[in-house]
Amino acid sequence: MASVMEGSFASPSADAQRSFLAIADKTLLTQFLDTLTGLNGWQIALSLLLMLVAYDQLSYIWQKGSIVGPAFKIPFMGPFFEAVWPDFNKYKAKWASGDLSCVSVFHKFVIIASTRDTARKIFNSPAFVKPCVVDIAHKLLRPENWVFLDGKAHVEYRKGLNGLFTRTALATYLPGQEEVYERYFQKFLDQTEKKNHGKPSQYMHIFRELMCAVSLRTFVGHYLPDSSVKKIADDFYMVTAAMDLVNFPIIIPFTRTWYGKKAADMVLDEFSKCAAMAKVKMATGAAPICILDFWVRQMQDSEKYRAKLAKGIEVPAEEKPAHVLRLFDDFEISMALMTFLFASQDATSSACTWMFQLMADRPEMLDRVRQENLAARNGDRDVQLSLELIDSLTYTRAVVKEVLRYRPPVIMVPYMVKKEFPITESYTAPKGSMIIPSVWPATHDPEAYPSPDVYDPERWITGDAEKQTKNWLVFGTGPHYCLGQTYAQNNLIALLGKASMFLNWDHMVTEKSEIVKVFATLFPMDDLYLTFTKRDA
């Protein structure tokens, strides 16, 4: 009864309080409306802009928390122009500024992790993060691409790709690789002798074309005609150019992202055609010679296995495919091949460019590579490549590994934070932010690699560089480590060994030769001036 009365009657003081608040609310609302009525359109727009600027600034400060970063950001865009025209020294300054540092560009808050252990923690925390490459990557590679899968779906998909990089498969790819090397060696000679009349010319773009041609032959064999190989090698540059760390949120016509999208569409279309041809060829029982062949063969073997099970036929355990795959459609296959090209093209182009520069500048090392390769072939440089031969090239392998350590092709790997991530005891990365484990500081850690800024292949032979597995982040670690790391290293070893026996090359050193340019990966700022001449047997 008391509760009913308390709900039905109020004291005079309560009534007075409600009346006062009603009058106050009405007065405030009237004042606000009067203020708006007194403003013109420009004043309203300016007021809204100031409110948005304040929100943007406060949001950045809140997300930044205790980590290193600018006290304030340039409204909205932040250091956008630094992302468009990256300066490697500024990256180094970021790494040196603290274990964690940050920037905020447009809508994206970016956290940069500099230490080895923090980088490893990010690589190995799939519950909190997933690879995001860069924002525009979803539009270029397609959102449904396998590379963006997460958790169990990603693990299962990768299992189906493992068979493409077995030792048997890697040996099968070698003839196609060697064919491309020989064709481009002649192109190097023609570039110097016929096109440039003996004078040095820039080789960075030529090495990009070479490594793209090697990748395409390895991935899709001869399904792709030489004319298409050249077009993809030329146009894929635009895909790379579109992959800035931070981009404007939308694709605007006639910008780098727009041209990159057109180039990516062309590559996907070409790969779809290759997939259709491979399905026909592999159905005839032909031997696989490229990654596409091996993958399609696994799909078709899986289809046959399922068909037998459906008919109640008992299949011996030894005939069961190592991993039972579904039959992917042509476009799904093309998307996967596109990610292989994206992952390999820039990284191997960078490593190849630095490798030729470093060897030209260190002729005693190049001569040692040459002698090792000749000895491994018993003096006959025409002996064809094999995995056993590559395995025997101890010094050549050390040269390549030191290139990858000294100038790691991939210096950072962007991840997206799926949920609040306690990256350190004092800082939690906010959901939706981008977090980037860095590779360069780990490969230039003086405790792991004494005199890290000195190029020294010997550290991989007589030193203990091979033991520094925690610092060897060149190919990542954790569930998203690079599937093709053995292929990539063998490719560089084979290329350098063969070039050392058939070619001489000289480097025209410029004031920019040792300055690092960031173009997705790392290149010499002057794009590497070389001349090539034929080496007699």
Side-chain angles (χ1 to χ4, degrees):
M1 185 68 170
S3 62
V4 173
M5 291 182 64
E6 287 170 4
S8 304
F9 300 96
S11 66
S13 62
D15 287 338
Q17 186 179 28
R18 277 196 293 271
S19 298
F20 173 78
L21 289 174
I23 293 169
D25 286 346
K26 185 176 181 180
T27 303
L28 290 172
L29 179 61
T30 302
Q31 289 177 343
F32 179 71
L33 292 174
D34 288 344
T35 302
L36 284 181
T37 303
L39 296 177
N40 60 36
W42 285 108
Q43 290 172 321
I44 293 173
L46 179 61
S47 299
L48 290 173
L49 177 63
L50 291 174
M51 290 172 64
L52 290 172
V53 168
Y55 173 79
D56 183 53
Q57 201 68 243
L58 291 172
S59 175
Y60 163 70
I61 293 171
W62 175 79
Q63 292 180 97
K64 174 180 176 293
S66 61
I67 64 176
V68 177
F72 301 98
K73 66 173 286 191
I74 299 172
F76 306 122
M77 71 176 186
F80 172 67
F81 292 110
E82 289 183 19
V84 175
W85 294 288
D87 181 336
F88 184 65
N89 288 325
K90 290 184 178 180
Y91 281 118
K92 293 177 74 173
K94 273 287 182 188
W95 295 326
S97 68
D99 294 354
L100 293 175
S101 57
C102 68
V103 294
S104 180
V105 184
F106 288 122
H107 62 297
K108 186 64 65 177
F109 182 71
V110 183
I111 304 159
I112 300 167
S114 303
T115 65
R116 178 200 70 186
D117 292 340
T118 306
R120 290 184 66 86
K121 182 175 182 178
I122 297 167
F123 280 128
N124 287 288
S125 298
F128 291 97
V129 299
K130 67 176 182 178
C132 63
V133 192
V134 293
D135 283 354
I136 198 67
H138 290 79
K139 297 182 176 69
L140 270 60
L141 303 179
R142 301 296 191 274
E144 62 271 28
N145 198 305
W146 81 275
V147 77
F148 302 122
L149 292 176
D150 196 23
K152 185 178 179 180
H154 174 262
V155 172
E156 287 301 311
Y157 198 106
R158 277 179 69 105
K159 285 180 181 178
L161 300 176
N162 288 334
L164 310 180
F165 297 97
T166 63
R167 190 168 175 84
T168 299
L170 293 176
T172 305
Y173 308 147
L174 286 175
Q177 293 173 229
E178 196 159 20
E179 170 200 328
V180 176
Y181 300 156
E182 292 170 356
R183 189 168 75 250
Y184 273 83
F185 289 171
Q186 187 58 51
K187 185 167 184 172
F188 296 168
L189 295 171
D190 291 344
Q191 175 71 23
T192 297
E193 296 170 10
K194 298 178 181 179
K195 292 186 178 180
N196 231 38
H197 308 293
K199 296 179 181 179
S201 54
Q202 292 170 309
Y203 268 80
M204 185 270 261
H205 68 286
I206 300 176
F207 286 143
R208 282 184 60 87
E209 184 182 321
L210 160 64
M211 300 316 290
C212 187
V214 171
S215 294
L216 291 172
R217 278 288 173 260
T218 304
F219 300 161
V220 298
H222 288 276
Y223 296 120
L224 202 64
D226 288 341
S227 58
S228 295
V229 170
K230 180 70 169 69
K231 180 169 177 55
I232 291 176
D234 291 342
D235 289 7
F236 205 83
Y237 191 90
M238 292 187 287
V239 176
T240 302
M243 294 281 192
D244 288 323
L245 181 60
V246 180
N247 271 298
F248 195 71
I250 60 174
I251 294 179
I252 300 174
F254 307 109
T255 61
R256 287 196 291 185
T257 53
W258 186 78
Y259 286 114
K261 177 67 164 55
K262 289 176 70 68
D265 290 347
M266 179 273 294
V267 175
L268 288 168
D269 183 59
E270 291 287 348
F271 283 165
S272 293
K273 296 174 186 175
C274 292
M277 289 186 282
K279 287 177 179 177
V280 173
K281 183 179 178 181
M282 289 299 99
T284 68
I289 62 170
C290 63
I291 280 178
L292 178 56
D293 284 346
F294 273 97
W295 199 22
V296 169
R297 172 60 56 80
Q298 289 182 49
M299 295 178 200
Q300 293 178 344
D301 287 347
S302 297
E303 284 287 290
K304 293 175 183 176
Y305 172 74
R306 277 193 293 269
K308 288 182 179 179
L309 291 183
K311 293 178 181 178
I313 300 173
E314 186 175 345
V315 182
E318 61 270 18
E319 292 184 17
K320 180 181 178 181
H323 193 75
V324 180
L325 305 177
R326 67 177 175 85
L327 187 62
F328 294 98
D329 66 38
D330 296 344
F331 191 72
E332 288 177 310
I333 293 172
S334 76
M335 287 191 294
L337 294 172
M338 178 73 161
T339 62
F340 291 164
L341 184 60
F342 174 68
S344 66
Q345 167 62 18
D346 295 300
T348 54
S349 298
S350 169
C352 176
T353 303
W354 286 110
M355 182 172 73
F356 274 83
Q357 174 168 311
L358 289 163
M359 289 298 97
D361 293 344
R362 294 160 178 79
E364 73 286 354
M365 293 184 185
L366 179 56
D367 190 59
R368 188 171 168 183
V369 167
R370 182 178 297 118
Q371 295 307 317
E372 180 181 63
N373 276 267
L374 285 168
R377 295 168 171 84
N378 295 317
D380 182 2
R381 63 180 185 171
D382 292 320
V383 170
Q384 297 298 295
L385 285 168
S386 67
L387 288 183
E388 290 73 24
L389 191 154
I390 292 172
D391 290 344
S392 72
L393 302 173
T394 304
Y395 186 73
T396 310
R397 182 175 297 276
V399 164
V400 167
K401 291 206 73 169
E402 182 67 352
V403 171
L404 297 172
R405 182 207 66 81
Y406 182 68
R407 292 288 185 264
V410 179
I411 57 172
M412 54 182 66
V413 185
Y415 280 76
M416 186 190 77
V417 179
K418 298 190 293 184
K419 60 181 179 181
E420 290 194 348
F421 182 19
I423 186 64
T424 67
E425 292 183 0
S426 60
Y427 184 76
T428 297
K431 179 182 178 180
S433 60
M434 181 186 288
I435 190 163
I436 303 176
S438 303
V439 173
W440 178 281
T443 66
H444 287 73
D445 179 354
E447 293 186 10
Y449 307 107
S451 303
D453 293 323
V454 174
Y455 178 80
D456 179 19
E458 197 64 37
R459 72 173 80 240
W460 297 95
I461 300 173
T462 59
D464 64 354
E466 287 285 3
K467 299 177 183 177
Q468 310 304 324
T469 54
K470 286 189 175 182
N471 286 72
W472 185 248
L473 297 178
V474 174
F475 296 98
T477 187
H480 292 274
Y481 76 90
C482 177
L483 276 170
Q485 57 180 297
T486 300
Y487 159 74
Q489 292 177 84
N490 285 350
N491 178 21
L492 294 167
I493 293 165
L495 170 63
L496 177 60
K498 196 168 180 71
S500 72
M501 297 184 297
F502 285 88
L503 299 171
N504 294 314
W505 63 93
D506 293 301
H507 176 210
M508 187 184 83
V509 179
T510 74
E511 62 183 10
K512 296 181 178 180
S513 295
E514 292 298 326
I515 299 176
V516 176
K517 173 175 70 175
V518 182
F519 181 69
T521 52
L522 305 183
F523 294 93
M525 186 64 76
D526 63 2
D527 288 346
L528 183 55
Y529 284 90
L530 295 176
T531 55
F532 282 89
T533 56
K534 189 174 182 179
R535 185 177 182 83
D536 295 329

